[in-house]
Amino acid sequence: MREHWEWKDCVSMAYTNDVKALQQWPIECRDVSLQYLKTSHEMVRNLLEALLGNLGVELDDSKIDTFIEKKMVNMNFYPTCPNPKFMVGVGRHSDMVPEDVDMEKKGEWVEIPPIPGALVINIWSNGRYKSAEHKVRTTSTKSRVSIPIFTNQLPTQKVAPLPQILVKKNGVTHYREFVFSDYMNSFFGKHMM
């Protein structure tokens, strides 16, 4: 059962190549979205390299690229809401958290005011980094926009904790290996109900 109804408009644009993006993405936002995605690529690679390095994992460039081969840009518009008490921009969730993680732990929500130029990064890593549970609230006074970029593996790639450090260091694999498309189908199947 939903906690609240979502109050937003969203356009999701999957990226395969420039030609398809220019042909298929909405003309009103395709050029700026494509530029945004391209300029973020190096930042995403650098963040991934730093996060892996912090875990003691060094991968060559080709292996790092396999983690971010599939890209998507979402353009989320949260209009002013006449009744924010009963609506949310996006309901509570943790991005792509495996099914055995306890999402029922309840605590007090902390409002994080937007900071111009700041980044929010959600990842998963056999429990070493946590994907924070979050939601987007609505307001009756102003509309807002968010433009997240999602990078993932190809749908056919197998995903599992990296043995170099995540498993060897503490000897425990918290999540089983799976084909990425199977996981995505399971995740979105559960969250669309």
Side-chain angles (χ1 to χ4, degrees):
M1 179 178 243
R2 290 177 184 251
E3 181 181 343
H4 290 88
W5 292 101
E6 292 187 352
W7 186 264
K8 72 174 183 176
D9 286 320
C10 179
V11 174
S12 293
M13 298 169 287
Y15 177 84
T16 49
N17 60 52
D18 289 4
V19 173
K20 285 188 179 179
L22 292 171
Q23 289 172 349
Q24 298 172 355
W25 289 7
I27 194 168
E28 295 81 3
C29 62
R30 71 177 180 207
D31 294 332
V32 71
S33 298
L34 190 55
Q35 183 64 26
Y36 178 55
L37 186 66
K38 285 182 173 189
T39 57
S40 69
H41 179 77
E42 194 60 30
M43 177 202 58
V44 170
R45 273 184 109 266
N46 290 340
L47 283 169
L48 182 59
E49 198 171 328
L51 291 166
L52 289 170
N54 190 46
L55 295 172
V57 176
E58 288 187 40
L59 297 176
D60 64 51
D61 285 349
S62 66
K63 286 199 170 51
I64 287 178
D65 284 337
T66 65
F67 286 104
I68 59 174
E69 285 182 279
K70 187 173 179 342
K71 300 170 184 73
M72 185 170 66
V73 177
N74 275 11
M75 300 195 87
N76 300 319
F77 174 61
Y78 307 100
T80 56
C81 179
N83 199 340
K85 183 177 176 182
F86 298 106
M87 304 293 234
V88 293
V90 176
R92 66 184 274 234
H93 68 284
S94 288
D95 295 326
M96 310 296 179
V97 172
E99 58 275 353
D100 55 351
V101 173
D102 182 9
M103 290 286 293
E104 294 305 313
K105 291 180 182 171
K106 299 199 183 210
E108 189 174 321
W109 286 102
V110 176
E111 184 168 346
I112 308 293
I115 300 170
L119 298 173
V120 176
I121 303 165
N122 290 305
I123 58 173
W124 33 305
S125 60
N126 197 38
R128 294 288 299 277
Y129 294 119
K130 306 292 184 192
S131 178
E133 187 177 29
H134 55 283
K135 65 181 178 178
V136 177
R137 69 178 186 87
T138 56
T139 73
S140 60
T141 57
K142 71 167 131 172
S143 58
R144 293 171 298 164
V145 172
S146 70
I147 308 173
I149 296 173
F150 298 92
T151 59
N152 294 304
Q153 301 81 3
L154 291 175
T156 55
Q157 190 170 348
K158 288 185 178 179
V159 178
L162 294 169
Q164 297 98 314
I165 188 74
L166 300 176
V167 177
K168 280 184 185 176
K169 190 154 190 170
N170 61 15
V172 176
T173 302
H174 296 290
Y175 309 111
R176 63 178 173 79
E177 180 179 85
F178 52 86
V179 175
F180 190 64
S181 62
D182 293 343
Y183 177 73
M184 292 296 285
N185 290 336
S186 173
F187 178 84
F188 284 107
K190 286 179 185 173
H191 289 82
M192 292 301 187
M193 296 178 171

